Amino acid sequence: MLEEQVAADVAAGRSTPVDVVFSWFSFDVMGDFVFGTSFDMLRDRRWHSVILTLREALGLLGPLTPLPWLVHFGFNMAGFFPSIRNWFAMIAWCRQQMEKRAKSMGEKDSTSDPDVSYSLLDEARKKGFTETDWNWLSGDAVLAIVAGSDTVTSTLICLFYRLATNPTVAECLYAELATVDDCTDDIALQQLPYLNGVVNETLRLHPALLTGGMRKTPKEGAVICGRFVPGEITVVAPRPEMVRCKKGFKPFGTGRTLGLAELRLVTASLVRRFRLEPVGGASSFLDEMRDCFVARTGPLELRFRDRAFVGSSSGVVAL
């Protein structure tokens, strides 16, 4: 579906708002992965109302993450803050989806590939659902959608910006991809050093989690970079530009397999078919990047050109 949407922009002679299109793609994938049903934003070419609600809510959560006490205060004042009302609306929607999924669980789930919600619900179903279970299940659903969508979105945006502004790299990548028969075969894509190098370098330059995760020091305290930090203190640190220890490079956490597979698949499919060009002051999207728990870039337009065609004075001709 993503490739077809880009092809439609090419046919219409217009640039593609990759910040929007990649976001639609990522949320559609995670909707299917978590609830077994897509948000269908790519198909409809418009935002799903609940995803807009989620994005507005995350706009507040990011800046307040290092201040959990202020978050709790804000949640108790939800009536005064639209962003917090949006957060509770998203939680309520996820609970509805989980309850609907619980009712639909049957024998067919034992013979097909279960989605994430099935795995989350199955254990609670065996002992009987409690209100606490539903609270945890709703939160887990939100976390899965956000962690699997916005992280991939921001990485894809930055990756394609780098390819569009470094055509030599894009053409080297295309040459490697030309050696693969099927660009949807992730086993084959995992064996391509240049493709995986492009993905990993993008993740290093533009981490999806700008400040990394929070950690709490042990009760006895800890010495960090030569300085003693008392016990039970929340520590937040931005990620370093150069990770010299290979063990420290772990993008996507528990969702690494799926996240990297999405990045390889999208990159391979689009670079194999299209050339890329930046539009206007493309780099300004980095200046507008915000930390909304996950990285959120500014708008970015890129122009895709089908590799099978070139322009001519009489129109477009096939090569």
Side-chain angles (χ1 to χ4, degrees):
M1 183 64 74
L2 175 61
E3 190 173 337
E4 285 74 13
Q5 291 294 341
V6 172
D9 287 339
V10 172
R14 59 177 177 253
S15 58
T16 298
V18 294
D19 60 300
V20 174
V21 172
F22 286 154
S23 188
W24 290 345
F25 164 80
S26 298
F27 277 107
D28 280 353
V29 169
M30 288 310 298
D32 191 34
F33 189 69
V34 176
F35 299 121
T37 180
S38 171
F39 292 106
D40 290 327
M41 291 188 290
L42 264 181
R43 184 197 66 187
D44 299 337
R45 290 190 72 91
R46 63 184 178 86
W47 289 97
H48 191 289
S49 59
V50 77
I51 299 303
L52 287 177
T53 298
L54 173 63
R55 287 170 62 85
E56 291 172 3
L58 288 176
L60 178 65
L61 182 61
L64 295 183
T65 296
L67 302 170
W69 62 269
L70 189 55
V71 174
H72 285 289
F73 174 78
F75 279 4
N76 290 324
M77 303 289 289
F80 298 95
F81 300 101
S83 294
I84 296 178
R85 291 200 301 270
N86 288 335
W87 175 259
F88 283 114
M90 180 63 187
I91 293 289
W93 184 86
C94 282
R95 174 162 179 163
Q96 292 173 0
Q97 298 305 306
M98 296 298 276
E99 290 175 343
K100 185 186 301 183
R101 185 68 180 89
K103 292 178 181 178
S104 69
M105 291 172 68
E107 287 300 318
K108 65 177 183 178
D109 291 304
S110 63
T111 58
S112 60
D113 293 331
D115 49 41
V116 171
S117 60
Y118 176 89
S119 301
L120 294 174
L121 289 162
D122 191 44
E123 187 64 30
R125 183 182 61 160
K126 293 175 181 177
K127 60 182 179 63
F129 294 109
T130 65
E131 185 63 23
T132 299
D133 289 332
W134 287 118
N135 290 336
W136 278 107
L137 290 166
S138 302
D140 286 343
V142 173
L143 178 60
I145 292 173
V146 173
S149 301
D150 278 334
T151 51
V152 171
T153 296
S154 64
T155 305
L156 282 174
I157 295 169
C158 294
L159 189 154
F160 276 82
Y161 163 74
R162 291 292 181 179
L163 291 178
T165 54
N166 293 275
T168 301
V169 173
E171 291 309 303
C172 288
L173 177 56
Y174 170 73
E176 183 180 70
L177 292 170
T179 66
V180 178
D181 294 329
D182 182 5
C183 280
T184 65
D185 180 0
D186 189 56
I187 299 299
L189 297 181
Q190 291 179 41
Q191 311 308 313
L192 301 181
Y194 204 87
L195 170 62
N196 288 282
V198 167
V199 169
N200 288 337
E201 184 65 359
T202 301
L203 288 166
R204 184 187 72 82
L205 290 171
H206 308 287
L209 296 177
L210 296 177
T211 54
M214 294 188 296
R215 297 293 184 270
K216 181 175 287 188
T217 57
K219 291 183 179 181
E220 65 274 16
V223 177
I224 303 175
C225 296
R227 177 173 296 183
F228 177 76
V229 179
E232 298 187 335
I233 296 295
T234 299
V235 178
V236 182
R239 296 183 181 276
E241 290 187 3
M242 178 63 76
V243 180
R244 297 184 181 277
C245 177
K246 190 174 182 178
K247 294 181 180 179
F249 182 70
K250 293 185 179 298
F252 299 118
T254 57
R256 182 181 183 185
T257 300
L258 176 62
L260 292 177
E262 283 186 73
L263 294 175
R264 284 190 292 262
L265 174 62
V266 173
T267 303
S269 299
L270 294 183
V271 172
R272 180 80 172 261
R273 181 171 176 180
F274 303 102
R275 287 191 175 92
L276 302 161
E277 296 175 5
V279 175
S283 62
S284 63
F285 87 102
L286 288 174
D287 298 330
E288 299 179 41
M289 185 175 288
R290 297 169 56 204
D291 187 352
C292 297
F293 179 64
V294 291
R296 184 179 299 173
T297 70
L300 176 64
E301 296 263 346
L302 296 178
R303 188 172 298 279
F304 291 79
R305 298 190 184 278
D306 201 312
R307 290 182 180 274
F309 298 92
V310 293
S312 71
S313 59
S314 59
V316 178
V317 297
L319 286 174

